[in-house]
Amino acid sequence: MSQSATGHEIENLIQLLARLPGLGPRSARRAALHLIKKKEALMTPLSSALNEAVESVVVCTTCGNIDTSDPCAMCCDPRRDKSTIIVVEDVSDLWALQRASVLNATYHVLGGTLSPLDGIGPDDLSIAALVDRVTQGDVKEVVIAVNATVEGQTTAHYITDQLDGLDVSISRLAHGVPVGGELDYLDEGTLSAAMRARTQF
Amino acid sequence: MSQSATGHEIENLIQLLARLPGLGPRSARRAALHLIKKKEALMTPLSSALNEAVESVVVCTTCGNIDTSDPCAMCCDPRRDKSTIIVVEDVSDLWALQRASVLNATYHVLGGTLSPLDGIGPDDLSIAALVDRVTQGDVKEVVIAVNATVEGQTTAHYITDQLDGLDVSISRLAHGVPVGGELDYLDEGTLSAAMRARTQF
Protein backbone atom coordinates (compact mmCIF):
# COMPACT_ATOMS: atom_id res chain seq x y z
CA MET A 1 0.00 0.00 0.00
CA SER A 2 2.82 2.43 0.70
CA GLN A 3 3.69 2.06 -2.99
CA SER A 4 0.51 3.86 -3.93
CA ALA A 5 1.16 6.70 -1.48
CA THR A 6 4.47 7.71 -3.04
CA GLY A 7 6.10 7.75 -6.44
CA HIS A 8 8.56 4.96 -7.13
CA GLU A 9 11.44 7.46 -6.99
CA ILE A 10 10.67 8.12 -3.31
CA GLU A 11 10.14 4.42 -2.58
CA ASN A 12 13.47 3.62 -4.23
CA LEU A 13 15.24 6.31 -2.16
CA ILE A 14 13.73 4.93 1.05
CA GLN A 15 14.81 1.38 0.24
CA LEU A 16 18.39 2.44 -0.48
CA LEU A 17 18.57 4.54 2.71
CA ALA A 18 17.28 1.53 4.70
CA ARG A 19 20.38 -0.40 3.64
CA LEU A 20 22.67 2.02 5.51
CA PRO A 21 23.91 0.69 8.86
CA GLY A 22 21.92 2.17 11.72
CA LEU A 23 18.84 2.92 9.61
CA GLY A 24 15.83 0.59 9.57
CA PRO A 25 12.72 0.92 7.39
CA ARG A 26 11.12 3.48 9.72
CA SER A 27 14.15 5.71 10.14
CA ALA A 28 14.85 5.44 6.40
CA ARG A 29 11.38 6.88 5.74
CA ARG A 30 12.05 9.67 8.24
CA ALA A 31 15.42 10.36 6.59
CA ALA A 32 13.84 10.43 3.11
CA LEU A 33 11.14 12.87 4.24
CA HIS A 34 13.78 15.04 5.92
CA LEU A 35 15.80 15.05 2.70
CA ILE A 36 12.76 15.94 0.60
CA LYS A 37 11.81 18.77 2.94
CA LYS A 38 15.35 20.15 2.92
CA LYS A 39 15.78 19.83 -0.82
CA GLU A 40 18.12 22.78 -1.35
CA ALA A 41 19.93 22.60 1.98
CA LEU A 42 20.52 18.86 2.20
CA MET A 43 19.27 16.65 -0.63
CA THR A 44 21.07 18.46 -3.45
CA PRO A 45 24.40 18.74 -1.54
CA LEU A 46 24.20 15.07 -0.47
CA SER A 47 23.50 14.03 -4.03
CA SER A 48 26.59 15.86 -5.29
CA ALA A 49 28.71 14.67 -2.36
CA LEU A 50 27.85 11.08 -3.25
CA ASN A 51 28.58 11.75 -6.90
CA GLU A 52 31.98 13.21 -6.02
CA ALA A 53 32.76 10.34 -3.67
CA VAL A 54 31.80 7.73 -6.28
CA GLU A 55 34.23 9.32 -8.69
CA SER A 56 37.11 10.22 -6.40
CA VAL A 57 37.40 7.63 -3.62
CA VAL A 58 40.12 5.00 -4.03
CA VAL A 59 41.82 2.47 -1.78
CA CYS A 60 45.50 3.17 -1.07
CA THR A 61 47.57 0.30 -2.53
CA THR A 62 50.22 0.80 0.16
CA CYS A 63 48.23 0.83 3.40
CA GLY A 64 44.62 0.02 2.47
CA ASN A 65 43.29 3.39 3.68
CA ILE A 66 40.41 5.00 1.82
CA ASP A 67 41.21 8.38 0.31
CA THR A 68 40.96 10.40 -2.86
CA SER A 69 44.55 9.77 -3.90
CA ASP A 70 46.73 6.64 -4.18
CA PRO A 71 49.06 6.50 -2.27
CA CYS A 72 46.83 8.16 0.32
CA ALA A 73 47.52 11.50 2.00
CA MET A 74 48.84 9.73 5.11
CA CYS A 75 51.34 7.60 3.18
CA CYS A 76 52.51 10.69 1.27
CA ASP A 77 52.76 12.98 4.28
CA PRO A 78 56.49 13.70 4.83
CA ARG A 79 55.82 14.70 8.46
CA ARG A 80 54.65 11.17 9.31
CA ASP A 81 57.11 8.73 10.81
CA LYS A 82 57.41 5.94 8.20
CA SER A 83 59.42 3.75 10.60
CA THR A 84 56.31 3.00 12.71
CA ILE A 85 53.32 1.14 11.27
CA ILE A 86 50.03 0.93 13.18
CA VAL A 87 48.11 -2.19 12.10
CA VAL A 88 44.32 -1.84 12.27
CA GLU A 89 41.41 -4.07 11.25
CA ASP A 90 39.39 -1.51 9.39
CA VAL A 91 39.41 2.06 8.09
CA SER A 92 37.00 3.06 10.88
CA ASP A 93 39.67 2.03 13.43
CA LEU A 94 42.22 4.14 11.57
CA TRP A 95 39.86 7.13 11.77
CA ALA A 96 39.30 6.50 15.50
CA LEU A 97 43.06 6.46 16.20
CA GLN A 98 43.51 9.56 14.04
CA ARG A 99 40.91 11.38 16.14
CA ALA A 100 42.85 10.41 19.26
CA SER A 101 45.99 11.56 17.37
CA VAL A 102 48.55 9.98 19.68
CA LEU A 103 51.16 8.61 17.30
CA ASN A 104 52.42 10.37 14.19
CA ALA A 105 52.93 7.09 12.32
CA THR A 106 51.69 5.41 9.15
CA TYR A 107 48.95 2.79 9.10
CA HIS A 108 48.21 -0.62 7.64
CA VAL A 109 44.58 -1.68 7.20
CA LEU A 110 44.11 -5.46 7.35
CA GLY A 111 40.58 -5.43 6.02
CA GLY A 112 39.19 -7.66 8.77
CA THR A 113 40.31 -10.40 11.15
CA LEU A 114 41.08 -14.09 10.77
CA SER A 115 37.83 -15.98 11.16
CA PRO A 116 37.94 -19.65 10.06
CA LEU A 117 34.20 -20.04 10.71
CA ASP A 118 33.43 -17.27 8.21
CA GLY A 119 36.03 -18.65 5.80
CA ILE A 120 38.38 -15.68 6.26
CA GLY A 121 41.98 -16.86 6.14
CA PRO A 122 45.33 -15.03 6.01
CA ASP A 123 45.09 -14.63 2.22
CA ASP A 124 41.87 -12.62 2.58
CA LEU A 125 43.63 -10.00 4.73
CA SER A 126 46.53 -7.81 3.64
CA ILE A 127 49.01 -9.58 5.95
CA ALA A 128 51.49 -10.50 3.20
CA ALA A 129 51.52 -6.84 2.12
CA LEU A 130 52.36 -5.85 5.71
CA VAL A 131 55.26 -8.33 5.83
CA ASP A 132 56.47 -6.90 2.50
CA ARG A 133 56.36 -3.35 3.86
CA VAL A 134 58.32 -4.39 6.95
CA THR A 135 60.86 -6.39 4.93
CA GLN A 136 61.47 -3.72 2.31
CA GLY A 137 61.11 -0.50 4.25
CA ASP A 138 63.02 1.04 7.08
CA VAL A 139 60.41 -0.06 9.67
CA LYS A 140 61.42 -0.08 13.34
CA GLU A 141 58.12 -0.74 15.11
CA VAL A 142 54.80 -2.40 14.30
CA VAL A 143 51.96 -1.48 16.69
CA ILE A 144 49.19 -4.06 16.44
CA ALA A 145 46.05 -2.04 17.20
CA VAL A 146 43.34 -4.62 16.50
CA ASN A 147 40.15 -4.93 18.54
CA ALA A 148 40.42 -6.70 21.90
CA THR A 149 38.18 -9.53 20.66
CA VAL A 150 39.04 -13.21 20.25
CA GLU A 151 39.32 -12.79 16.46
CA GLY A 152 41.42 -9.65 16.87
CA GLN A 153 43.83 -11.30 19.27
CA THR A 154 44.11 -14.44 17.08
CA THR A 155 44.97 -12.19 14.15
CA ALA A 156 47.52 -10.32 16.28
CA HIS A 157 49.24 -13.59 17.19
CA TYR A 158 49.30 -14.71 13.56
CA ILE A 159 50.86 -11.41 12.47
CA THR A 160 53.45 -11.65 15.25
CA ASP A 161 54.40 -15.11 13.96
CA GLN A 162 54.71 -13.81 10.40
CA LEU A 163 56.97 -10.96 11.48
CA ASP A 164 59.09 -13.26 13.63
CA GLY A 165 62.78 -13.13 12.66
CA LEU A 166 62.49 -9.68 11.05
CA ASP A 167 64.39 -6.85 12.70
CA VAL A 168 61.32 -5.00 14.00
CA SER A 169 59.82 -4.36 17.42
CA ILE A 170 56.21 -5.47 17.79
CA SER A 171 53.87 -3.86 20.32
CA ARG A 172 50.18 -3.84 21.05
CA LEU A 173 47.69 -1.46 22.70
CA ALA A 174 47.54 -1.53 26.51
CA HIS A 175 44.58 -3.11 28.27
CA GLY A 176 43.07 -1.26 31.21
CA VAL A 177 40.29 0.86 32.62
CA PRO A 178 38.78 3.19 29.97
CA VAL A 179 39.24 6.87 30.85
CA GLY A 180 36.04 7.89 32.65
CA GLY A 181 35.12 4.23 33.24
CA GLU A 182 33.67 3.01 36.51
CA LEU A 183 35.20 -0.15 38.01
CA ASP A 184 31.81 -1.50 38.99
CA TYR A 185 30.76 -1.69 35.34
CA LEU A 186 33.93 -3.34 34.02
CA ASP A 187 34.38 -7.06 33.38
CA GLU A 188 36.86 -9.14 35.37
CA GLY A 189 39.23 -9.55 32.40
CA THR A 190 39.69 -5.80 32.02
CA LEU A 191 40.08 -5.29 35.77
CA SER A 192 42.71 -7.99 36.18
CA ALA A 193 44.58 -6.69 33.10
CA ALA A 194 44.49 -3.18 34.55
CA MET A 195 45.74 -4.47 37.90
CA ARG A 196 48.60 -6.46 36.35
CA ALA A 197 49.66 -3.46 34.26
CA ARG A 198 49.39 -1.00 37.18
CA THR A 199 51.78 1.94 37.02
CA GLN A 200 53.63 3.95 39.68
CA PHE A 201 51.61 6.92 41.00
CA MET B 1 42.83 15.48 12.94
CA SER B 2 40.24 13.39 11.13
CA GLN B 3 40.53 15.91 8.30
CA SER B 4 44.03 14.66 7.57
CA ALA B 5 42.94 11.02 7.56
CA THR B 6 40.40 11.48 4.77
CA GLY B 7 39.96 13.57 1.67
CA HIS B 8 37.55 16.49 2.00
CA GLU B 9 35.07 14.68 -0.27
CA ILE B 10 34.68 11.94 2.34
CA GLU B 11 34.56 14.44 5.21
CA ASN B 12 31.87 16.38 3.36
CA LEU B 13 29.83 13.20 2.79
CA ILE B 14 30.08 12.30 6.50
CA GLN B 15 28.94 15.74 7.59
CA LEU B 16 25.92 15.68 5.28
CA LEU B 17 24.95 12.17 6.41
CA ALA B 18 25.22 13.28 10.04
CA ARG B 19 22.43 15.78 9.39
CA LEU B 20 19.92 13.00 8.65
CA PRO B 21 17.56 12.24 11.56
CA GLY B 22 18.68 9.16 13.46
CA LEU B 23 22.32 9.46 12.43
CA GLY B 24 24.94 11.04 14.72
CA PRO B 25 28.59 11.73 13.90
CA ARG B 26 29.63 8.14 14.66
CA SER B 27 26.88 6.42 12.70
CA ALA B 28 27.39 8.88 9.84
CA ARG B 29 31.02 7.75 9.62
CA ARG B 30 29.88 4.10 9.65
CA ALA B 31 27.32 4.86 6.94
CA ALA B 32 29.91 6.67 4.80
CA LEU B 33 32.36 3.76 5.10
CA HIS B 34 29.57 1.32 4.26
CA LEU B 35 28.70 3.39 1.18
CA ILE B 36 32.32 3.57 0.06
CA LYS B 37 32.78 -0.17 0.48
CA LYS B 38 29.59 -0.90 -1.48
CA LYS B 39 30.34 1.59 -4.22
CA GLU B 40 28.62 -0.23 -7.08
CA ALA B 41 25.85 -1.85 -5.07
CA LEU B 42 24.81 1.10 -2.93
CA MET B 43 26.67 4.40 -3.35
CA THR B 44 26.05 4.78 -7.09
CA PRO B 45 22.34 3.80 -6.90
CA LEU B 46 21.79 6.09 -3.90
CA SER B 47 23.47 8.94 -5.73
CA SER B 48 21.16 8.52 -8.74
CA ALA B 49 18.11 8.00 -6.52
CA LEU B 50 18.82 11.34 -4.82
CA ASN B 51 19.37 12.99 -8.17
CA GLU B 52 16.05 11.66 -9.46
CA ALA B 53 14.26 12.68 -6.27
CA VAL B 54 15.72 16.20 -6.40
CA GLU B 55 14.34 16.59 -9.91
CA SER B 56 11.00 14.85 -9.63
CA VAL B 57 9.59 15.34 -6.14
CA VAL B 58 6.89 18.00 -5.75
CA VAL B 59 4.32 18.93 -3.14
CA CYS B 60 0.70 18.35 -4.16
CA THR B 61 -1.08 21.74 -4.24
CA THR B 62 -4.37 20.08 -3.34
CA CYS B 63 -3.53 17.95 -0.30
CA GLY B 64 0.09 18.74 0.61
CA ASN B 65 1.29 15.17 -0.04
CA ILE B 66 4.76 14.63 -1.47
CA ASP B 67 4.83 12.88 -4.82
CA THR B 68 6.28 13.07 -8.30
CA SER B 69 3.16 14.57 -9.84
CA ASP B 70 0.87 17.48 -8.90
CA PRO B 71 -1.95 16.74 -8.13
CA CYS B 72 -0.51 13.66 -6.46
CA ALA B 73 -1.37 10.07 -7.35
CA MET B 74 -3.77 9.84 -4.41
CA CYS B 75 -5.72 12.96 -5.38
CA CYS B 76 -5.89 11.70 -9.00
CA ASP B 77 -6.86 8.12 -8.16
CA PRO B 78 -10.48 7.66 -9.32
CA ARG B 79 -10.93 4.66 -6.98
CA ARG B 80 -10.42 6.88 -3.92
CA ASP B 81 -13.44 8.24 -2.14
CA LYS B 82 -13.20 12.02 -2.56
CA SER B 83 -16.06 12.63 -0.13
CA THR B 84 -13.88 11.68 2.87
CA ILE B 85 -10.77 13.69 3.81
CA ILE B 86 -8.31 12.40 6.39
CA VAL B 87 -6.47 15.32 8.00
CA VAL B 88 -2.90 14.52 9.12
CA GLU B 89 -0.06 16.59 10.58
CA ASP B 90 2.69 15.38 8.31
CA VAL B 91 3.42 13.25 5.24
CA SER B 92 4.92 10.57 7.50
CA ASP B 93 1.50 10.21 9.19
CA LEU B 94 -0.11 9.87 5.76
CA TRP B 95 2.35 7.09 4.91
CA ALA B 96 1.63 5.37 8.24
CA LEU B 97 -2.13 5.42 7.62
CA GLN B 98 -1.58 4.21 4.05
CA ARG B 99 0.38 1.22 5.37
CA ALA B 100 -2.52 0.43 7.69
CA SER B 101 -4.77 0.94 4.61
CA VAL B 102 -8.06 1.16 6.46
CA LEU B 103 -9.91 3.92 4.66
CA ASN B 104 -9.92 4.45 0.92
CA ALA B 105 -10.15 8.23 1.25
CA THR B 106 -8.13 11.29 0.26
CA TYR B 107 -5.82 13.15 2.59
CA HIS B 108 -4.99 16.65 3.71
CA VAL B 109 -1.53 17.37 5.14
CA LEU B 110 -1.52 20.29 7.60
CA GLY B 111 2.24 20.63 7.70
CA GLY B 112 2.47 20.69 11.51
CA THR B 113 0.40 21.64 14.53
CA LEU B 114 -0.59 24.90 16.14
CA SER B 115 2.16 25.86 18.57
CA PRO B 116 2.06 29.47 19.82
CA LEU B 117 5.34 29.01 21.73
CA ASP B 118 7.13 28.14 18.48
CA GLY B 119 5.30 30.92 16.65
CA ILE B 120 3.23 28.52 14.55
CA GLY B 121 -0.25 29.93 14.03
CA PRO B 122 -3.19 28.91 11.80
CA ASP B 123 -1.71 30.76 8.80
CA ASP B 124 1.41 28.58 8.91
CA LEU B 125 -0.68 25.43 8.44
CA SER B 126 -2.86 24.60 5.45
CA ILE B 127 -6.10 24.96 7.43
CA ALA B 128 -7.64 27.57 5.12
CA ALA B 129 -7.00 25.24 2.17
CA LEU B 130 -8.82 22.46 4.02
CA VAL B 131 -11.82 24.71 4.65
CA ASP B 132 -11.77 25.62 0.94
CA ARG B 133 -11.74 21.95 -0.06
CA VAL B 134 -14.67 21.21 2.23
CA THR B 135 -16.62 24.29 1.08
CA GLN B 136 -16.10 23.72 -2.63
CA GLY B 137 -16.04 19.95 -2.93
CA ASP B 138 -18.59 17.28 -2.30
CA VAL B 139 -17.07 16.37 1.10
CA LYS B 140 -19.19 14.39 3.54
CA GLU B 141 -16.71 13.51 6.28
CA VAL B 142 -13.48 14.95 7.68
CA VAL B 143 -11.48 12.51 9.83
CA ILE B 144 -9.04 14.44 12.02
CA ALA B 145 -6.11 12.02 12.40
CA VAL B 146 -3.59 14.22 14.21
CA ASN B 147 -1.25 12.92 16.92
CA ALA B 148 -2.75 12.42 20.38
CA THR B 149 -0.54 15.18 21.81
CA VAL B 150 -1.57 18.48 23.38
CA GLU B 151 -0.61 20.37 20.20
CA GLY B 152 -2.40 17.83 18.02
CA GLN B 153 -5.60 18.04 20.04
CA THR B 154 -5.46 21.85 20.14
CA THR B 155 -5.14 21.85 16.36
CA ALA B 156 -8.03 19.38 16.07
CA HIS B 157 -10.27 21.68 18.13
CA TYR B 158 -9.28 24.69 16.04
CA ILE B 159 -10.10 22.84 12.81
CA THR B 160 -13.44 21.70 14.23
CA ASP B 161 -14.25 25.36 14.98
CA GLN B 162 -13.31 26.41 11.46
CA LEU B 163 -15.50 23.72 9.90
CA ASP B 164 -18.41 24.60 12.17
CA GLY B 165 -21.56 25.43 10.20
CA LEU B 166 -20.44 23.55 7.09
CA ASP B 167 -22.47 20.51 6.09
CA VAL B 168 -19.81 17.95 6.96
CA SER B 169 -19.42 15.29 9.60
CA ILE B 170 -16.21 15.56 11.66
CA SER B 171 -14.66 12.53 13.35
CA ARG B 172 -11.39 11.67 15.04
CA LEU B 173 -9.35 8.53 15.68
CA ALA B 174 -10.42 6.37 18.62
CA HIS B 175 -8.32 6.31 21.78
CA GLY B 176 -7.65 2.91 23.36
CA VAL B 177 -5.25 0.10 24.08
CA PRO B 178 -2.78 -0.42 21.19
CA VAL B 179 -3.12 -3.84 19.55
CA GLY B 180 -0.57 -6.07 21.30
CA GLY B 181 -0.21 -3.56 24.14
CA GLU B 182 0.02 -4.61 27.79
CA LEU B 183 -2.19 -2.76 30.24
CA ASP B 184 0.58 -2.61 32.83
CA TYR B 185 2.69 -0.44 30.53
CA LEU B 186 -0.06 1.99 29.52
CA ASP B 187 -0.65 5.41 31.04
CA GLU B 188 -3.80 6.20 33.00
CA GLY B 189 -5.14 8.53 30.28
CA THR B 190 -5.10 5.77 27.67
CA LEU B 191 -6.62 3.23 30.07
CA SER B 192 -9.48 5.47 31.15
CA ALA B 193 -10.16 6.41 27.50
CA ALA B 194 -10.20 2.72 26.56
CA MET B 195 -12.55 1.96 29.46
CA ARG B 196 -14.94 4.79 28.58
CA ALA B 197 -15.03 3.68 24.93
CA ARG B 198 -15.45 -0.01 25.78
CA THR B 199 -17.36 -2.04 23.21
CA GLN B 200 -19.73 -5.00 23.47
CA PHE B 201 -17.94 -8.38 23.38
Side-chain angles (χ1 to χ4, degrees):
Chain A
M1 277 308 285
S2 79
Q3 222 85 19
S4 68
T6 56
H8 88 274
E9 288 89 348
I10 303 176
E11 201 57 38
N12 186 26
L13 178 61
I14 293 173
Q15 271 165 20
L16 288 167
L17 286 171
R19 288 171 55 194
L20 291 178
L23 286 185
R26 184 179 295 265
S27 43
R29 281 196 298 269
R30 273 181 62 214
L33 258 185
H34 189 79
L35 281 166
I36 289 166
K37 284 180 186 168
K38 311 228 166 196
K39 206 165 173 175
E40 300 307 318
L42 190 54
M43 189 150 73
T44 312
L46 182 58
S47 173
S48 3
L50 280 167
N51 249 329
E52 274 177 38
V54 166
E55 275 161 30
S56 65
V57 169
V58 287
V59 173
C60 175
T61 44
T62 308
C63 73
N65 185 20
I66 284 169
D67 201 354
T68 46
S69 60
D70 178 23
C72 72
M74 306 234 285
C75 286
C76 293
D77 190 345
R79 289 162 304 180
R80 289 197 168 267
D81 177 9
K82 301 282 189 301
S83 71
T84 305
I85 296 179
I86 303 174
V87 179
V88 291
E89 288 179 21
D90 206 347
V91 176
S92 53
D93 303 324
L94 186 159
W95 290 355
L97 288 170
Q98 267 306 102
R99 286 195 298 279
S101 68
V102 273
L103 210 56
N104 188 30
T106 52
Y107 288 88
H108 192 85
V109 181
L110 293 174
T113 46
L114 294 176
S115 176
L117 285 179
D118 299 322
I120 301 175
D123 295 341
D124 300 308
L125 309 177
S126 70
I127 294 177
L130 173 66
V131 176
D132 279 354
R133 279 180 78 182
V134 174
T135 315
Q136 288 165 14
D138 190 23
V139 179
K140 292 197 181 71
E141 183 178 1
V142 170
V143 185
I144 303 186
V146 293
N147 291 334
T149 55
V150 173
E151 291 83 5
Q153 297 311 305
T154 311
T155 312
H157 281 294
Y158 182 85
I159 293 173
T160 313
D161 286 348
Q162 297 299 304
L163 295 175
D164 194 34
L166 296 174
D167 182 24
V168 64
S169 134
I170 304 170
S171 55
R172 59 168 200 173
L173 293 181
H175 287 307
V177 181
V179 176
E182 296 181 42
L183 300 195
D184 197 19
Y185 290 93
L186 285 174
D187 61 298
E188 289 77 10
T190 304
L191 281 178
S192 71
M195 189 55 82
R196 280 196 305 274
R198 65 191 179 279
T199 53
Q200 201 71 38
F201 205 36
Chain B
M1 277 303 286
S2 78
Q3 222 83 20
S4 68
T6 56
H8 88 273
E9 287 89 348
I10 303 176
E11 200 59 36
N12 186 26
L13 177 61
I14 293 173
Q15 272 165 19
L16 287 167
L17 286 172
R19 286 171 54 194
L20 291 177
L23 287 184
R26 184 179 295 265
S27 43
R29 281 195 299 269
R30 274 180 63 214
L33 258 185
H34 189 79
L35 282 167
I36 289 166
K37 284 180 186 169
K38 312 228 167 198
K39 206 167 172 174
E40 301 307 318
L42 191 54
M43 190 151 70
T44 313
L46 183 59
S47 171
S48 2
L50 280 167
N51 249 328
E52 273 177 39
V54 165
E55 276 161 30
S56 65
V57 169
V58 287
V59 173
C60 175
T61 44
T62 308
C63 73
N65 184 21
I66 284 169
D67 202 353
T68 47
S69 60
D70 178 22
C72 72
M74 306 235 286
C75 286
C76 293
D77 189 346
R79 290 162 304 180
R80 288 196 169 268
D81 177 9
K82 302 279 190 301
S83 71
T84 305
I85 297 180
I86 304 173
V87 179
V88 292
E89 288 178 22
D90 206 349
V91 176
S92 53
D93 302 324
L94 187 159
W95 291 356
L97 288 170
Q98 268 306 102
R99 286 195 298 279
S101 67
V102 273
L103 210 56
N104 188 30
T106 51
Y107 289 88
H108 192 86
V109 181
L110 293 173
T113 47
L114 293 176
S115 177
L117 286 178
D118 300 322
I120 300 175
D123 295 341
D124 300 309
L125 309 177
S126 69
I127 294 177
L130 172 66
V131 176
D132 278 355
R133 278 180 79 182
V134 174
T135 315
Q136 291 164 13
D138 190 22
V139 179
K140 293 197 181 70
E141 183 178 1
V142 170
V143 185
I144 303 186
V146 295
N147 292 333
T149 55
V150 173
E151 291 84 4
Q153 296 312 306
T154 311
T155 312
H157 281 294
Y158 183 85
I159 292 172
T160 312
D161 286 348
Q162 297 299 304
L163 295 176
D164 195 34
L166 296 174
D167 181 25
V168 66
S169 133
I170 303 171
S171 56
R172 59 168 200 174
L173 294 181
H175 287 306
V177 181
V179 176
E182 297 181 40
L183 300 194
D184 196 20
Y185 290 92
L186 286 173
D187 61 297
E188 289 77 12
T190 304
L191 282 178
S192 72
M195 189 56 82
R196 279 196 305 272
R198 66 191 178 279
T199 53
Q200 202 71 37
F201 205 39

